[in-house]
């Protein structure tokens, strides 16, 4: 069974004066722990050596309230080298790290207790502390560790499998199921059980002397259970519970005394010391602790036999002998001995609590001999069953305290139905009395005959529900579990047995389910799981399911102030019950569930949002059309929210449609395939073009060899005889500008280049990259192809390219002429005007007499005029535009190649 493992500090990278790393070897309320040097270099390291090679199961770290490391790493090793190099990294194996909270939410006033579950074998543990969190209190950039606790077991695994098999076999024959929540935490003998007395919080908030006594009593309790002396074990259990509170109070007094000493307020320190001494003596006398530590009274031991400390040898800070418990006459506040051996003499008398003492100052009840016993004689702890039942634990603390005036007024009807004795037990400040009262009520209701008048049965039921409503809020786990057992019996057995009807069942649900839902947010995991499982079981019960009441509590909107645990438990419970019950006649409606789930999508806790997504997907699988009414439309703006993107992709999977990622993958594959086909077509066209060029070259060679020169002018060609060969159509584009339609004999290959570069009214030069582009595609060029395209942005009003540094001012001014759709109008990037659509409209706008006034090539004189009579002409339809698959010759570095077309001049 894992237990606390002792350790020593081997080395540390440094410490502040008075805060050595060896302080970590002591666990007490007043320890200061380790602090790094001021303005130290990071990371800082501490190496611990455990007293034996062990298998570490759990590490606990108590951080400082403001000297907080951002991250702590853990390394483990089997051994160190002979010459001891503690920082040799290859000797250690990394286990992982934990991140610590910056403590801003608490104002750096609380200390974080971090528990880390590991499974590693070794004897040396190294801790590496990284850079500290910054805050106004940590002015020297230090990190600190108040305490560290190591829990593990010996590293001998030879019998582990046999023990596990034996435990499973015992559970099988005893009918115990590991998943049964009713058995959770009841079997402390299992191999992975960690005692609460080994927890770091126990030592850090308990008086060391009382902590030692609690450990001794816990060992005695186990011995009593093994010997089946259950009454004595019950006494010890109650004494341990009372001593927990006593130790915490004494620890608080010790801290207050230490603070007074630091402030040099010695009068207050002396007062605290006397207060601690008196309170300690009074409590020890009341508990009769000497008799309990001796063991069971019938087992006589020699009075000279000293008691040995029960602390494990593996805990170095628990090896000191246990202090004695002085007699009442020997206790002096100023001269009390600090460290004598524990005596075996029983207390001579017991103090009884004053009825006027407040609940906060009242010591725990006595657990030793009766006040009427003669000195030196202990009371018999084992009594008959009847005596134990009457005395509420064999004389452990007598009867429960009387009811107060407030309790009498509050529980008047309950007292009339169940009796004042039982109600007093349920109201008692001692948890064992509360548990016994509920068990007695369970027995009374079970034995009530079926012929009881309905009015009496109804009054008894309502009184029982009143006590259950109170017990559900109890912080003691056993009392809470008994209340669940009693409530289940009422709903499934008592109400059907006495035929009380649905009205009483509804009363049970109304009074108990809200409290149970509140307990699903409890900090104790065991209570939280038990409450959730019971609500689910109650909702599936036939008697409660017909009322359809539990679902209405689960779909109540989450309050902003509710804890994260409560929100997570409510969402998880809703998801489970939806799968079990559905939405047809169960209390769950599509409207209520969807409103709750959609509001939960905005919760601050990730697990709540994730469960809400799962609930919405489950609802969509059953009610597709109704669910979509509660969600925003599925568009790009909605999908920017990751949760809605996940929801809509889940809808697509449910419908069998491709998701957004699958659609993008398909489009990408189709685009790649189209590009591949396009490249193949270009390759084929280039081959055909090469063949045409070869044919043209051969034809030109034949013409040059002809005996008679060919007539160049058009009239001569028209006057040729009918049987003369026709001019091939491939020569039609000779001496022709394919953009503006102008033909001239000066348009040789070099002439056309000059025409394109300076004079063509359909082209212009980009002022940024000096390429020649069509005026119609100038905006597209500036945004996508220009070398300076990163410096331009697109205006959403006029759809033109605007320098990015001027774009915000341009958009804000709203002075630009709005552009129209491409199907309705063209947009000139020079004069910023809209004109009719089509390619011929571009020629009219750029070349016509009343065309674009911003086209500078219209106003500048041409350097090379065309021949006489060869003015610009408009080419025939189908030939005025550029021919696909060709390129434009480029002077001085290249004419721009349009992204939408490629051209060739023959």
């Amino acid at each position: 069974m894992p237990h606390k493992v002792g350790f020593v500090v081997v080395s540390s990278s440094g410490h502040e004066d008075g805060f050595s790393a060896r302080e970590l070897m002591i666990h007490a309320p007043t320890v200061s722990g380790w602090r790094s040097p001021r303005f130290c270099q990071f990371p800082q390291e501490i190496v611990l050596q455990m007293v034996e090679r062990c298998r570490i199961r759990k590490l606990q770290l108590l951080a400082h309230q403001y000297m907080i490391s951002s991250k702590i790493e853990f390394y483990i090793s089997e051994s160190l080298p002979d010459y001891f190099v503690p920082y040799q990294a290859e000797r250690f194996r990394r286990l992982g790290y934990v991140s610590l909270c910056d403590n801003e939410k608490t104002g750096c006033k609380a200390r974080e207790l971090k528990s880390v579950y590991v499974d590693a074998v070794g004897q040396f543990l190294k801790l590496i502390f990284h850079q500290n969190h910054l805050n106004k209190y940590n002015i020297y950039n230090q990190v600190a560790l108040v305490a560290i606790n190591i829990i593990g077991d010996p590293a001998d695994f030879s019998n582990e499998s046999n023990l596990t098999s034996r435990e499973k076999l015992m559970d099988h024959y005893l009918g115990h199921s590991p998943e049964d929540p009713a058995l959770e935490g009841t079997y402390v003998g299992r191999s992975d059980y960690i005692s609460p007395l080994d927890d770091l919080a126990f030592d850090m908030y308990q008086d060391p002397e009382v902590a030692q006594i609690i450990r001794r009593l816990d060992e005695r309790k186990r011995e009593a259970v093994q010997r089946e002396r259950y009454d004595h074990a019950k006494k010890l259990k109650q004494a341990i519970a009372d001593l927990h509170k006593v130790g915490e109070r004494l620890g608080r007094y010790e801290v207050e005394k230490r603070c007074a000493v630091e402030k040099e307020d010695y009068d207050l320190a002396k007062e605290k010391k006397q207060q601690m001494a008196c309170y300690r003596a009074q409590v020890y006398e009341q508990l009769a602790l000497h008799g309990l530590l001796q063991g069971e009274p019938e087992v006589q031991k020699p009075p000279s036999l000293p008691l040995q400390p029960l602390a494990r040898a593996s805990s170095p800070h628990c090896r000191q002998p246990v202090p004695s418990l002085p007699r009442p006459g020997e206790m002096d506040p100023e001269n009390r001995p600090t460290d004598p051996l524990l005596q075996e003499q029983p207390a001579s008398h017991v103090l009884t609590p004053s009825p006027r003492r407040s609940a906060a100052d009242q010591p725990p009840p006595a657990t030793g001999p009766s006040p009427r016993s003669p000195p030196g004689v202990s009371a018999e702890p084992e009594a008959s069953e009847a005596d134990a039942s009457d005395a509420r634990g064999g004389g452990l603390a007598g009867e429960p305290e009387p009811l107060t005036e407030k309790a009498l007024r509050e529980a008047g009807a309950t007292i009339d139905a169940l009796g004042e004795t039982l109600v007093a037990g349920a109201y008692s400040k001692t948890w064992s009395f509360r548990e016994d009262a509920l068990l007695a009520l369970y027995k009374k209701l079970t034995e009530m005959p079926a012929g009881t008048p309905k009015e009496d049965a109804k009054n008894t039921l309502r009184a029982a529900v009143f006590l259950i409503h109170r017990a559900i809020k109890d912080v003691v786990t056993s009392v809470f579990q008994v209340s669940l057992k009693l409530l289940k019996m009422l709903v499934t057995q008592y109400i059907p047995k006495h035929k009380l009807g649905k009205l009483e069942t509804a009363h049970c649900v109304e009074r108990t389910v809200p409290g149970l839902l509140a307990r699903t947010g409890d900090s104790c995991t065991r209570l939280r799981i038990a409450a959730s499982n019971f609500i689910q079981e109650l909702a599936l019960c036939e008697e409660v399911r017909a009322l359809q009441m539990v679902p209405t509590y689960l779909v109540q909107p989450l309050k902003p102030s509710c804890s994260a645990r409560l929100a997570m438990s409510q969402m998880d419970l809703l998801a489970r019950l939806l799968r079990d019950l559905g939405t047809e006649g169960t209390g769950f409606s599509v409207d209520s569930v969807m409103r709750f789930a959609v509001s939960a999508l905005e919760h601050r806790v990730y697990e709540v949002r994730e469960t809400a997504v799962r609930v919405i997907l489950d609802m969509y699988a059953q009610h597709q059309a109704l669910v979509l009414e509660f969600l925003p439309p599925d568009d790009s703006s909605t999908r920017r929210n990751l949760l809605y993107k996940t929801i809509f992709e889940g809808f697509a999977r449910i419908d069998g449609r491709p998701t957004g990622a699958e659609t993008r993958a398909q489009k990408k594959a189709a685009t790649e395939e189209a590009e591949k086909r396009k490249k193949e077509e270009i390759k084929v066209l280039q081959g055909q073009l090469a063949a045409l060029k070869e044919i043209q070259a051969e034809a030109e060679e034949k013409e040059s060899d002809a005996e008679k020169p060919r007539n160049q002018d058009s009239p001569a060609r028209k006057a040729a005889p009918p049987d003369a060969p026709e001019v091939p159509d491939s020569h039609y584009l000779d001496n022709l500008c394919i953009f503006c339609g102008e033909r001239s004999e000066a348009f040789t290959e070099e002439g056309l280049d000059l025409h394109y570069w300076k004079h063509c009214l359909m082209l212009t030069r980009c002022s940024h990259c000096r390429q020649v582009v069509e005026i119609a595609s100038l905006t597209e060029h500036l945004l996508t192809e220009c070398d300076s395209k990163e410096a331009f942005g697109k205006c959403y009003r006029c759809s033109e390219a605007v320098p990015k540094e001027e774009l915000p001012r341009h958009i804000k001014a709203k002075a630009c002429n709005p552009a129209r759709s491409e199907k309705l109008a063209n947009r000139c990037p020079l004069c910023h005007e809209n004109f009719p659509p089509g390619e011929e409209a571009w020629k009219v706008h750029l070349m016509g007499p009343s065309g674009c006034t911003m086209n500078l090539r219209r106003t500048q004189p041409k350097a090379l005029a065309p021949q006489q009579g060869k003015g610009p002409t408009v080419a025939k339809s189908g030939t005025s535009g550029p021919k696909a698959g060709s390129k434009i010759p480029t002077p001085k570095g290249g004419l721009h190649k349009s992204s939408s077309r490629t051209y060739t001049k023959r």
Side-chain angles (χ1 to χ4, degrees), residues 39 125 132 207 230 265 332 504 623 664 676 873 884 890:
F39 301 113
L125 181 68
N132 61 291
D207 178 73
Y230 298 121
D265 188 354
D332 182 61
E504 300 306 318
H623 312 279
R664 287 192 297 271
K676 184 178 179 181
T873 61
T890 307

Side-chain angles (χ1 to χ4, degrees), residues 184-496:
E184 184 179 356
T186 59
Y187 179 40
V188 298
R190 62 178 185 266
S191 60
D192 59 343
Y193 174 76
I194 299 176
S195 172
L197 304 183
D198 290 333
D199 195 270
L200 180 59
F202 175 76
D203 283 322
M204 295 304 297
Y205 297 102
Q206 284 285 337
D207 178 73
E209 182 179 321
V210 176
Q212 290 287 65
I213 297 172
I214 290 176
R215 288 191 173 96
R216 293 171 63 85
L217 291 180
D218 186 69
E219 191 69 24
R220 294 292 182 184
K221 184 187 70 174
R222 294 182 187 177
E223 293 177 3
V225 171
Q226 290 177 358
R227 298 174 59 190
E228 299 185 356
R229 315 297 286 181
Y230 298 121
D231 283 346
H232 189 61
K234 187 174 181 181
K235 290 182 183 181
L236 291 168
K237 178 181 177 182
Q238 181 63 44
I240 290 172
D242 294 333
L243 278 175
H244 270 282
K245 300 178 181 178
V246 172
E248 289 179 3
R249 173 177 288 189
L250 289 173
R252 188 164 60 250
Y253 286 162
E254 182 66 30
V255 172
E256 292 173 357
K257 184 182 73 174
R258 175 72 64 88
C259 294
V261 171
E262 292 178 354
K263 297 178 181 179
E264 298 186 353
D265 188 354
Y266 301 117
D267 292 336
L268 179 60
K270 181 179 179 181
E271 179 184 347
K272 290 295 178 184
K273 179 182 176 181
Q274 294 175 351
Q275 188 177 8
M276 290 173 61
C278 294
Y279 183 61
R280 193 188 302 271
Q282 193 177 42
V283 168
Y284 288 167
E285 289 176 332
Q286 291 243 343
L287 290 174
L289 201 55
H290 293 72
L292 292 175
L293 284 175
Q294 274 184 316
E296 300 186 46
E298 62 264 31
V299 181
Q300 300 296 331
K301 294 184 180 181
S304 60
L305 182 63
L307 292 176
Q308 298 297 328
L310 294 179
R312 295 185 178 87
S314 60
S315 301
H317 55 276
C318 298
R319 292 177 182 170
Q320 67 271 19
V322 180
S324 67
L325 305 177
R327 292 186 178 184
E330 299 173 351
M331 178 61 66
D332 182 61
E334 286 291 328
N335 302 317
R336 184 174 60 86
T338 57
D339 211 17
L341 295 177
L342 182 65
Q343 304 296 323
E344 283 239 335
Q345 300 175 0
S348 59
H349 66 279
V350 179
L351 297 178
T352 57
S354 172
R356 297 182 181 180
R357 190 185 302 272
S358 65
D361 296 331
Q362 180 176 340
T367 59
S370 169
R372 298 180 181 179
S373 301
V377 179
S378 299
E380 179 67 33
E382 294 293 339
S384 64
E385 294 295 330
D387 294 339
S389 174
D390 294 338
R392 298 280 181 186
L396 178 62
E399 295 293 332
E401 59 270 20
L403 291 171
T404 63
E405 291 294 333
K406 178 182 177 182
L408 288 172
R409 290 194 301 269
E410 184 182 61
T414 306
I415 294 173
D416 295 340
L418 302 177
E420 186 173 353
T421 303
L422 193 148
V423 177
Y427 270 78
S428 174
K429 297 175 182 177
T430 304
W431 67 268
S432 58
F433 291 145
R434 301 196 298 271
E435 182 181 6
D436 291 344
L438 293 178
L439 291 174
L441 179 58
Y442 182 93
K443 182 178 179 181
K444 178 178 180 179
L445 296 178
T446 305
E447 296 174 352
M448 184 176 290
T452 304
K454 281 193 175 183
E455 191 63 28
D456 294 344
K458 177 181 175 182
N459 294 336
T460 304
L461 171 70
R462 300 220 167 195
V465 171
F466 176 82
L467 295 182
I468 292 172
H469 174 74
R470 179 181 176 84
I472 284 175
K473 303 175 184 178
D474 205 298
V475 296
V476 180
T477 305
S478 59
V479 178
F480 176 74
Q481 291 178 344
V482 172
S483 68
L484 298 185
K485 177 182 176 182
L486 179 58
L487 177 59
K488 182 178 180 181
M489 186 271 294
L490 289 179
V491 174
T492 59
Q493 300 177 23
Y494 185 85
I495 293 177

Side-chain angles (χ1 to χ4, degrees), residues 165-180:
S165 301
R166 191 182 307 125
E167 291 169 4
K168 291 182 178 179
L169 189 62
M170 290 173 61
D171 289 340
H172 173 73
Y173 281 104
L174 291 174
H176 295 169
S177 172
E179 293 80 12
D180 188 357

